[in-house]
Amino acid sequence: MVNLGVKLKDLSLKNPVMTASGTFGFGEEFEDFIDLSNLGGILVKGTTRHHREGNPYPRMAETPSGMLNAVGLQNKGVENFCSEIYPRIKHYDTNILVNVSGSVIEDYVETAAMINDLEHIPAIELNISCPNVKEGGMAFGTSCASAAEVVKAVRQVYKKHLMVKLSPNVTDITEIAKAVEAEGADSVSLINTLLGMAIDAETRKPLLSTVTGGLSGPAVKPVALRMVWQVFNAVKIPIVGLGGIMNAKDAIEFMLAGATAVQIGTANFIDPQVTEKIVVGIEDYMKRHNIQDINDLIGALQVR
Amino acid sequence: MVNLGVKLKDLSLKNPVMTASGTFGFGEEFEDFIDLSNLGGILVKGTTRHHREGNPYPRMAETPSGMLNAVGLQNKGVENFCSEIYPRIKHYDTNILVNVSGSVIEDYVETAAMINDLEHIPAIELNISCPNVKEGGMAFGTSCASAAEVVKAVRQVYKKHLMVKLSPNVTDITEIAKAVEAEGADSVSLINTLLGMAIDAETRKPLLSTVTGGLSGPAVKPVALRMVWQVFNAVKIPIVGLGGIMNAKDAIEFMLAGATAVQIGTANFIDPQVTEKIVVGIEDYMKRHNIQDINDLIGALQVR
Amino acid sequence: MKKLVQDFEVLQRKELNDDHFVLDVKALEPLPEIRPGQFVNVLVKDSNTTFLRRPLSIHFVDYERNTISLYIKKIGDGTKKLGELKEGDTLNIVYPLGNQYSIPNNANTLLVGGGCGVAPLLYLAKHLNQAGNKVTTLLGVRSEKDAVELDAYKEYGNILVTTEDGSFGEKGYPTQHSILEKEKFDYVFTCGPEPMMKAVAAYSTQKNIPCEVSLENTMACGFGACLCCVTETTEGNKCTCTEGPVFNINDLKW
Amino acid sequence: MKKLVQDFEVLQRKELNDDHFVLDVKALEPLPEIRPGQFVNVLVKDSNTTFLRRPLSIHFVDYERNTISLYIKKIGDGTKKLGELKEGDTLNIVYPLGNQYSIPNNANTLLVGGGCGVAPLLYLAKHLNQAGNKVTTLLGVRSEKDAVELDAYKEYGNILVTTEDGSFGEKGYPTQHSILEKEKFDYVFTCGPEPMMKAVAAYSTQKNIPCEVSLENTMACGFGACLCCVTETTEGNKCTCTEGPVFNINDLKW
Ligand SMILES: Cc1cc2nc3c(=O)[nH]c(=O)nc-3n(C[C@H](O)[C@H](O)[C@H](O)COP(=O)(O)OP(=O)(O)OC[C@H]3O[C@@H](n4cnc5c(N)ncnc54)[C@H](O)[C@@H]3O)c2cc1C
Ligand SMILES: Cc1cc2nc3c(=O)[nH]c(=O)nc-3n(C[C@H](O)[C@H](O)[C@H](O)COP(=O)(O)OP(=O)(O)OC[C@H]3O[C@@H](n4cnc5c(N)ncnc54)[C@H](O)[C@@H]3O)c2cc1C
Ligand SMILES: Cc1cc2nc3c(=O)[nH]c(=O)nc-3n(C[C@H](O)[C@H](O)[C@H](O)COP(=O)(O)O)c2cc1C
Ligand SMILES: Cc1cc2nc3c(=O)[nH]c(=O)nc-3n(C[C@H](O)[C@H](O)[C@H](O)COP(=O)(O)O)c2cc1C
Ligand code: FES
Ligand code: FES
């Protein structure tokens, strides 16, 4: 028996495979396809202080080996989450993390505080990197000062595991990672989507109502891997790696680059069973390579 | 007859299709495949003050809809270019631009000054964005101050068209574009490669000798388009757009986003005749859409 | 209704005309209950440019043969590759997705389809017929060669055609067909290009007949996980893939 | 030698064993002169994961049939898709690429191949034979079923085999074959896995025989435009696709 369990500080995962926020609904959408208890954790939809309608249609465009989205954090707000959704999903035998988004610091703080009270939510992922909200979700993630500020404020009220999700749309992601580490983040997850754009040459119009949107999928994998590797060499807190993971091989690459756990996003749309398959695939890889403990893979890249 | 001619300030191109530096050799490598005089311009290999061996093998890795390279500016130096290569290629009936790279400002300046004296080179492209040289080619392109500094210094000695190639590995590319415009750049080209990384999960080693390298190809197209659009809305000088262009449709998308001309890079490896095909394809598009003058397409994106 | 992801076996590909074909695919396990108006999301292998699955309406279900039929128009590389599938090939499908058309009883129903929007109507005609409704299917096509599968519709009711060039049936668009004024319908169902559906909706509104439309839009997942596929409704954004694709026109902001 | 990019027509695909096959492709225009050791760069269509072309050695050229033969091992999706090509399919090829093996005169030549490294040796054997050399081809394979096309080599000289399991020819690796000590060769050519080529190079160095190897590495363009494919030589980095793939071992830092 190989050991697949990993720890993000105090947070134990039965295996390193989690889902990426915004691509896995509230988990319920996948109950027909997989057994959620086989996953290390699930990240539910981006949740904000207040109800948000999101952006107008069209919100999606396919791109080479990837997709752009401009959902814009459509959600019913944190109160609805606590009263309606939480009771429905809290029994899941896996770690349920809430992705907390906002446009002003008070919103982040209030949302985090409310979720702090939910017994079966052991952690939040602070989304300071969403490119699809005008008012500034991403702006927080693109400067050290503002990233530090929001993490510091949330840290005051949030007492459990605080994961911070970083934006790749920056010159030096290690600076941001160090800034949030210094303010008490327990882990960082990266990457969120790259800001991109698509045009229909025939109609001469943008394919998204918002003109620009967030790029995800295998197209971004090389950038994501590089950033995980850079951040691994810059901070001490654990890293959750994501961006274009489609199979177990990809997941292992992220772990070799320094990720303690991974998240699967866009791949869920193409194969709703992919997360379970990745858990099995990682186990197979370990057996084939005679690795007893998955923790031996973390950051095990052999650089000449 | 439709008009395909565009102008980058004083520099006239018979059509907007150029080649991207580092992907087209010195043009000679393509003489078997196409008639170079059908192109708007060619960008020859990155040239530095002194001979460079480039990075060790392996220098290339295929990625989803793209590739990583770590060539590292292998070239014989500007003196060799002037004495050996220039005489061989100066007769080409197209605009020949030299991509000038460096690691310290004096190198850029000396290289640019030598090329200034070459009669049949109407412009240089200042590469302040190569991710593959340790000593800092990219560092110049990732801060406004250093980008401005190098452009200012080169502007003193280089009297013809000065194009500056921008790095996409920045938080806000419009800031860099504005900084180089203010120092007298005649045009900007974007994007250079995104910094990425690839790992072989089986051997647990990086696929590039340099660990990280530059990502190009269709995978980066959404990011490139977005940056062209952002820069178009920020500066007045003309923009040359590139990143993942594979066909005429892609080229037109870049022009709609604000590019006056385009460069074709990685696509040349897959179809060495692609540049000629793109010229024809653009003409077909214009006829089909009843557009007489290609300049009507520049920045013609219809944002609701 | 439990959603499944399963490999199907291609039984047959029937070319209907230059760019339309019907693909019959056989499930390896007994098919679940599938309602008219639902769709599948298929995986396209071996296409350099297709990344996401492709949503396709369920054209017909044959429980005896354990097959689903898809009615497909070649648009880009994804549908082109589906048009190259051969007998024995495998097709991975997520299904059954979406809501369904309402099935009234003993009503006089009109089904209006255009382009590949005809896809869901055959299975709907069958269900309406079974529930004791009178069924009239009205198809709008370009010219005679596009008027296909008429016999199949005839099994469940009346079939009428309009062609743009007048080469078959009545000349014009479906909403110009004489039956619309001649007969009084109790229920209208439509699927096809948006302008056509809007014209059908206008007719229904004017005549005060309930009308359901099936919408197409860009989908990433097809089962409610991504929220990319919203339609603006009178009650705010609704998910086309789970709360649609069938909408009553009263709920749309048309 | 002018390089071309052309569509070829697949004439035949011969399966050699589980994972090796030979593809005969016919040029639509008369073939140019092709030298032994040169390679082609083929476009793989219909693969979701193949972006760049795939370099393949020229296994044989038949000017009468106007065909090139490729000897291919299935490695990943690119070569797998090539293994699904059928008669009449089109294959886009950039060729002829790279330098060539030297062709001595009236010499006793030894060709050592292993794995899909045997690919260029058949055409080389033909040229060596034509130039009046004595040709001995020595192939190292895993077991009997991998010892294929032996008759073809016999046309141009002597053919010897080593198998790892001893099921055919001599047991062991090619560099352990008795002929190496029995016979005195004037020239050695090799292609195959790097460890094998290094062993052959060591043998040649020890015996003081000139030796040429054909290298494989990761290529983006195949015709000198990208500089991705360098090999370290005694004279600095050389371009494997234009200054190679054939190198004299004296020039390598082996
Ligand atoms: C719920 C639903 C049910 C559908 N049912 C059917 C069906 O039964 N039969 C059928 O043939 N098609 C159906 N479609 C449309 C079908 O999904 C698209 O035609 C298909 O995705 C095109 O894929 P492609 O790879 O061939 O083309 P792409 O390469 O994706 O697209 C080629 C061009 O067509 C445009 N395009 C892409 N998707 C659509 C679309 N959905 N509508 C209009 N233009 C589009 C693109 O913008 C592009 O310009 C349905 C769509 C939805 C959402
Ligand atoms: C000049 C030259 C001549 C060649 N001649 C032949 C030939 O005649 N017959 C033949 O079968 N092959 C030949 N090859 C190798 C062939 O190009 C590769 O096997 C092919 O590119 C693999 O493509 P794929 O898509 O099937 O596998 P990929 O999906 O690209 O690769 C699958 C796995 O194989 C590894 N791999 C990829 N390329 C190579 C390689 N070149 N060597 C070793 N491992 C690799 C990858 O790292 C990956 O792990 C030649 C290569 C070169 C450079
Ligand atoms: C449709 C969609 C919606 C998303 N919504 C969110 C979100 O609400 N919060 C968030 O932090 N990230 C969101 N993301 C980003 C993903 O969580 C993930 O960071 C990104 O997609 C990269 O991973 P992938 O390539 O595996 O998809 C969304 C991504 C997609 C595709
Ligand atoms: C092999 C290779 C070598 C390159 N060398 C250079 C270079 O010397 N100077 C430079 O400015 N850009 C260089 N680039 C970047 C390209 O010019 C271009 O900016 C990038 O590849 C994006 O365009 P594409 O996606 O069309 O290839 C190189 C790219 C590749 C793939
Ligand atoms: S397509 Fe994903 S929610 Fe509808
Ligand atoms: S593969 Fe491009 S130079 Fe050799």
Side-chain angles (χ1 to χ4, degrees):
Chain A
M1 263 289 287
V2 296
N3 171 42
L4 283 174
V6 294
K7 282 190 94 168
L8 298 170
K9 277 201 172 164
D10 48 319
L11 186 68
S12 294
L13 313 183
K14 62 183 86 162
N15 63 57
V17 180
M18 309 173 87
T19 62
S21 176
T23 68
F24 206 70
F26 293 109
E28 298 171 307
E29 292 79 356
F30 288 80
E31 279 189 76
D32 283 354
F33 301 114
I34 58 171
D35 180 349
L36 297 176
S37 71
N38 288 333
L39 304 183
I42 64 172
L43 273 285
V44 303
K45 237 170 234 182
T47 301
T48 53
R49 178 67 190 85
H50 303 288
H51 171 97
R52 288 180 54 95
E53 270 294 292
N55 292 317
Y57 180 81
R59 294 179 172 184
M60 196 280 283
E62 191 181 44
T63 63
S65 297
M67 62 176 275
L68 287 164
N69 88 80
V71 171
L73 295 175
Q74 175 177 341
N75 81 103
K76 295 211 167 77
V78 63
E79 277 148 17
N80 180 275
F81 176 80
C82 295
S83 63
E84 302 295 320
I85 297 155
Y86 174 70
R88 274 186 348 234
I89 65 173
K90 66 175 190 210
H91 66 279
Y92 288 156
D93 177 23
T94 187
N95 291 298
I96 307 172
L97 281 75
V98 178
N99 177 268
V100 172
S101 300
S103 27
V104 293
I105 292 199
E106 299 70 57
D107 285 357
Y108 277 108
V109 170
E110 288 175 32
T111 308
M114 284 188 230
I115 293 172
N116 192 57
D117 297 337
L118 303 178
E119 189 189 340
H120 299 282
I121 307 285
I124 59 172
E125 179 183 55
L126 210 60
N127 177 12
I128 57 168
S129 49
C130 181
N132 291 326
V133 264
K134 279 226 183 65
E135 311 95 81
M138 181 155 99
F140 283 113
T142 54
S143 100
C144 291
S146 56
E149 200 186 353
V150 62
V151 172
K152 184 177 188 170
V154 170
R155 185 73 289 182
Q156 315 271 308
V157 302
Y158 192 74
K159 302 304 172 195
K160 306 185 196 167
H161 186 101
L162 176 59
M163 186 184 293
V164 180
K165 185 162 182 183
L166 305 181
S167 168
N169 301 295
V170 295
T171 307
D172 185 352
I173 197 165
T174 66
E175 293 300 321
I176 315 276
K178 284 189 272 188
V180 306
E181 178 182 44
E183 295 299 342
D186 294 308
S187 62
V188 283
S189 54
L190 57 142
I191 59 174
N192 208 314
T193 52
L194 276 169
L195 193 60
M197 173 171 169
I199 293 174
D200 183 336
E202 293 302 312
T203 62
R204 283 175 245 168
K205 288 185 183 154
L207 281 169
L208 299 177
S209 66
T210 48
V211 186
T212 60
L215 181 66
S216 64
V220 310
K221 196 186 84 171
V223 174
L225 263 183
R226 180 261 295 183
M227 290 186 165
V228 167
W229 171 243
Q230 289 179 320
V231 171
F232 178 69
N233 289 304
V235 301
K236 292 195 183 60
I237 51 176
I239 297 166
V240 179
L242 74 154
I245 298 177
M246 299 297 284
N247 50 44
K249 191 184 126 298
D250 293 338
I252 286 158
E253 291 170 21
F254 275 85
M255 297 195 70
L256 292 170
T260 297
V262 295
Q263 290 179 12
I264 318 299
T266 306
N268 288 300
F269 305 153
I270 293 166
D271 180 359
Q273 298 175 325
V274 69
T275 44
E276 269 189 350
K277 288 179 187 162
I278 290 176
V279 176
V280 173
I282 292 175
E283 211 174 328
D284 288 348
Y285 174 94
M286 289 172 63
K287 288 182 189 150
R288 198 153 44 79
H289 286 264
N290 210 8
I291 295 162
Q292 302 305 316
D293 185 350
I294 192 153
N295 292 283
D296 294 344
L297 285 177
I298 300 167
L301 185 71
Q302 290 166 32
V303 177
R304 287 147 247 234
Chain B
M1 264 289 287
V2 297
N3 171 44
L4 283 174
V6 295
K7 284 189 93 170
L8 298 170
K9 274 200 172 166
D10 47 319
L11 186 68
S12 294
L13 313 182
K14 62 182 87 165
N15 64 58
V17 180
M18 309 175 86
T19 63
S21 177
T23 68
F24 206 70
F26 294 109
E28 298 171 305
E29 292 79 357
F30 288 80
E31 280 189 73
D32 283 354
F33 300 115
I34 55 169
D35 181 350
L36 297 177
S37 70
N38 288 333
L39 303 183
I42 64 171
L43 274 285
V44 303
K45 238 170 233 180
T47 301
T48 52
R49 179 67 191 84
H50 303 289
H51 171 99
R52 289 180 54 96
E53 270 295 292
N55 293 319
Y57 180 82
R59 293 179 172 183
M60 197 280 286
E62 191 182 45
T63 63
S65 298
M67 61 177 275
L68 287 164
N69 90 81
V71 171
L73 294 175
Q74 175 176 340
N75 80 106
K76 296 211 166 77
V78 64
E79 277 147 16
N80 178 275
F81 176 79
C82 294
S83 63
E84 301 294 321
I85 295 154
Y86 173 68
R88 273 186 350 234
I89 66 172
K90 67 176 187 207
H91 66 279
Y92 288 156
D93 177 22
T94 187
N95 291 299
I96 307 173
L97 282 75
V98 178
N99 177 269
V100 172
S101 299
S103 26
V104 293
I105 290 198
E106 298 71 54
D107 286 358
Y108 277 108
V109 170
E110 288 175 32
T111 308
M114 282 188 234
I115 292 171
N116 192 55
D117 297 336
L118 303 178
E119 190 189 338
H120 298 282
I121 307 286
I124 58 173
E125 179 183 55
L126 210 62
N127 177 11
I128 56 167
S129 49
C130 180
N132 290 326
V133 265
K134 278 225 183 64
E135 310 95 81
M138 180 155 100
F140 283 113
T142 53
S143 98
C144 290
S146 56
E149 200 187 353
V150 62
V151 172
K152 184 177 191 168
V154 170
R155 186 72 286 183
Q156 315 271 307
V157 302
Y158 191 73
K159 302 305 173 194
K160 304 183 196 168
H161 186 102
L162 177 58
M163 186 184 291
V164 180
K165 186 163 180 182
L166 305 181
S167 167
N169 301 294
V170 294
T171 307
D172 185 353
I173 197 164
T174 65
E175 293 299 322
I176 316 277
K178 284 188 270 186
V180 306
E181 178 182 45
E183 295 299 342
D186 295 309
S187 63
V188 282
S189 55
L190 57 141
I191 59 173
N192 209 315
T193 52
L194 276 170
L195 193 61
M197 174 171 169
I199 293 173
D200 183 335
E202 292 302 311
T203 63
R204 283 175 245 171
K205 287 183 183 154
L207 281 169
L208 299 177
S209 67
T210 47
V211 186
T212 61
L215 182 65
S216 63
V220 309
K221 197 186 82 170
V223 174
L225 263 184
R226 179 263 294 185
M227 289 185 166
V228 167
W229 170 245
Q230 289 179 319
V231 171
F232 178 69
N233 288 305
V235 301
K236 291 193 184 60
I237 51 176
I239 297 166
V240 179
L242 73 155
I245 299 179
M246 299 298 283
N247 51 44
K249 191 183 126 299
D250 294 339
I252 286 158
E253 289 170 21
F254 276 85
M255 297 194 70
L256 292 170
T260 297
V262 295
Q263 291 179 10
I264 318 298
T266 305
N268 288 300
F269 306 153
I270 293 164
D271 180 0
Q273 299 175 324
V274 70
T275 45
E276 269 189 350
K277 289 181 187 163
I278 289 175
V279 176
V280 173
I282 292 176
E283 212 176 326
D284 288 349
Y285 174 93
M286 289 171 64
K287 287 184 190 149
R288 199 153 45 79
H289 286 265
N290 210 9
I291 295 163
Q292 301 305 317
D293 184 351
I294 192 154
N295 291 282
D296 294 346
L297 284 176
I298 301 168
L301 186 71
Q302 289 167 32
V303 176
R304 288 146 247 234
Chain C
M1 229 176 294
K2 193 172 146 86
K3 297 180 194 98
L4 304 163
V5 43
Q6 286 180 346
D7 276 343
F8 279 62
E9 189 194 324
V10 174
L11 272 198
Q12 195 185 8
R13 195 187 72 230
K14 276 175 288 192
E15 304 292 329
L16 299 177
N17 53 34
D18 292 350
D19 49 4
H20 290 83
F21 60 97
V22 168
L23 205 61
D24 293 345
V25 294
K26 188 181 166 75
L28 306 179
E29 288 163 55
L31 285 170
E33 190 195 347
I34 294 172
R35 304 293 306 166
Q38 291 195 298
F39 65 100
V40 300
N41 211 359
V42 306
L43 189 69
V44 179
K45 284 188 298 193
D46 308 348
S47 161
N48 299 53
T49 52
T50 305
F51 175 63
L52 297 166
R53 284 177 184 260
R54 294 295 186 255
L56 297 167
S57 302
I58 290 170
H59 181 48
F60 202 73
V61 181
D62 182 336
Y63 283 100
E64 270 170 40
R65 293 199 308 159
N66 210 35
T67 59
I68 290 179
S69 298
L70 305 171
Y71 180 103
I72 305 175
K73 177 174 183 181
K74 289 181 204 163
I75 297 277
D77 202 54
T79 45
K80 192 175 146 261
K81 287 280 146 40
L82 295 175
E84 291 168 6
L85 288 174
K86 301 176 307 294
E87 204 190 307
D89 284 348
T90 290
L91 186 67
N92 189 274
I93 295 183
V94 178
Y95 80 113
L97 302 174
N99 64 355
Q100 51 182 280
Y101 286 108
S102 308
I103 305 293
N105 293 307
N106 306 315
N108 187 10
T109 63
L110 174 68
L111 284 59
V112 188
C116 57
V118 306
L121 299 187
L122 184 62
Y123 194 51
L124 172 62
K126 179 181 169 160
H127 276 259
L128 288 170
N129 173 265
Q130 276 175 347
N133 299 285
K134 181 171 176 224
V135 177
T136 301
T137 306
L138 171 56
L139 304 182
V141 296
R142 240 176 251 163
S143 84
E144 178 163 18
K145 72 167 181 12
D146 305 320
V148 291
E149 295 195 307
L150 303 185
D151 290 345
Y153 292 96
K154 244 177 233 158
E155 289 222 7
Y156 310 115
N158 194 11
I159 172 82
L160 300 170
V161 176
T162 59
T163 53
E164 285 173 37
D165 64 2
S167 56
F168 188 81
E170 291 189 16
K171 181 174 167 140
Y173 293 113
T175 39
Q176 298 170 322
H177 197 283
S178 58
I179 190 86
L180 298 191
E181 294 307 325
K182 263 190 269 171
E183 196 155 334
K184 208 187 145 308
F185 294 103
D186 305 320
Y187 226 104
V188 177
F189 303 93
T190 182
C191 186
E194 201 168 293
M196 187 206 81
M197 291 198 290
K198 284 194 168 153
V200 174
Y203 161 82
S204 309
T205 308
Q206 187 219 319
K207 299 272 182 189
N208 208 8
I209 316 172
C211 174
E212 290 181 2
V213 302
S214 176
L215 300 183
E216 283 187 12
N217 71 12
T218 53
M219 296 184 171
C221 71
F223 53 85
C226 73
L227 298 188
C228 288
C229 65
V230 285
T231 297
E232 256 201 315
T233 72
T234 51
E235 293 164 40
N237 280 332
K238 281 202 177 174
C239 204
T240 311
C241 73
T242 52
E243 301 173 276
V246 178
F247 290 93
N248 190 300
I249 53 165
N250 293 333
D251 299 334
L252 296 178
K253 291 189 157 177
W254 277 13
Chain D
M1 227 174 298
K2 193 173 145 85
K3 296 177 195 104
L4 304 163
V5 43
Q6 289 179 344
D7 276 343
F8 279 61
E9 189 195 323
V10 174
L11 273 197
Q12 197 185 8
R13 196 187 73 229
K14 277 175 288 196
E15 304 292 330
L16 300 176
N17 53 35
D18 292 350
D19 48 6
H20 290 82
F21 61 96
V22 168
L23 205 60
D24 294 345
V25 294
K26 187 182 168 73
L28 306 180
E29 288 163 54
L31 285 170
E33 191 194 347
I34 294 171
R35 305 291 307 164
Q38 291 196 295
F39 66 99
V40 300
N41 212 359
V42 306
L43 189 69
V44 179
K45 285 186 298 192
D46 307 349
S47 161
N48 298 52
T49 52
T50 306
F51 175 62
L52 297 167
R53 283 176 184 263
R54 294 295 186 254
L56 297 167
S57 303
I58 289 169
H59 182 45
F60 202 71
V61 181
D62 183 336
Y63 284 100
E64 272 170 41
R65 292 202 306 161
N66 210 34
T67 58
I68 290 178
S69 298
L70 305 170
Y71 181 104
I72 305 174
K73 177 173 182 181
K74 288 180 205 164
I75 297 275
D77 202 53
T79 46
K80 191 175 146 261
K81 287 280 144 44
L82 295 175
E84 291 168 7
L85 287 175
K86 302 175 307 295
E87 205 190 306
D89 282 350
T90 291
L91 187 66
N92 188 275
I93 295 185
V94 178
Y95 80 113
L97 302 174
N99 64 357
Q100 51 183 281
Y101 286 108
S102 308
I103 306 293
N105 293 308
N106 307 315
N108 189 9
T109 62
L110 174 68
L111 285 59
V112 189
C116 54
V118 305
L121 299 186
L122 183 61
Y123 194 50
L124 173 61
K126 177 179 169 161
H127 276 259
L128 288 170
N129 173 263
Q130 275 174 347
N133 297 286
K134 182 171 176 223
V135 178
T136 301
T137 306
L138 172 55
L139 304 182
V141 296
R142 246 181 243 161
S143 86
E144 178 165 18
K145 72 167 180 14
D146 305 320
V148 291
E149 294 196 309
L150 303 185
D151 290 344
Y153 291 97
K154 244 177 231 157
E155 290 223 7
Y156 310 115
N158 194 11
I159 173 83
L160 300 169
V161 175
T162 59
T163 51
E164 284 173 40
D165 63 3
S167 56
F168 188 78
E170 291 190 15
K171 182 175 166 139
Y173 292 114
T175 40
Q176 299 170 325
H177 197 282
S178 58
I179 190 85
L180 296 191
E181 293 307 325
K182 263 190 266 168
E183 194 154 333
K184 207 187 146 308
F185 294 102
D186 305 321
Y187 227 105
V188 176
F189 303 93
T190 183
C191 188
E194 200 169 294
M196 187 207 81
M197 292 198 290
K198 286 195 165 151
V200 173
Y203 162 79
S204 308
T205 308
Q206 187 219 319
K207 298 275 182 189
N208 208 9
I209 317 172
C211 175
E212 290 181 0
V213 303
S214 177
L215 300 183
E216 281 186 13
N217 71 11
T218 54
M219 296 183 172
C221 70
F223 52 86
C226 74
L227 299 186
C228 288
C229 65
V230 285
T231 297
E232 254 200 319
T233 72
T234 51
E235 295 163 39
N237 280 332
K238 282 201 174 174
C239 204
T240 312
C241 73
T242 53
E243 304 173 274
V246 178
F247 290 94
N248 189 301
I249 54 165
N250 293 332
D251 299 334
L252 296 178
K253 292 190 156 175
W254 277 13

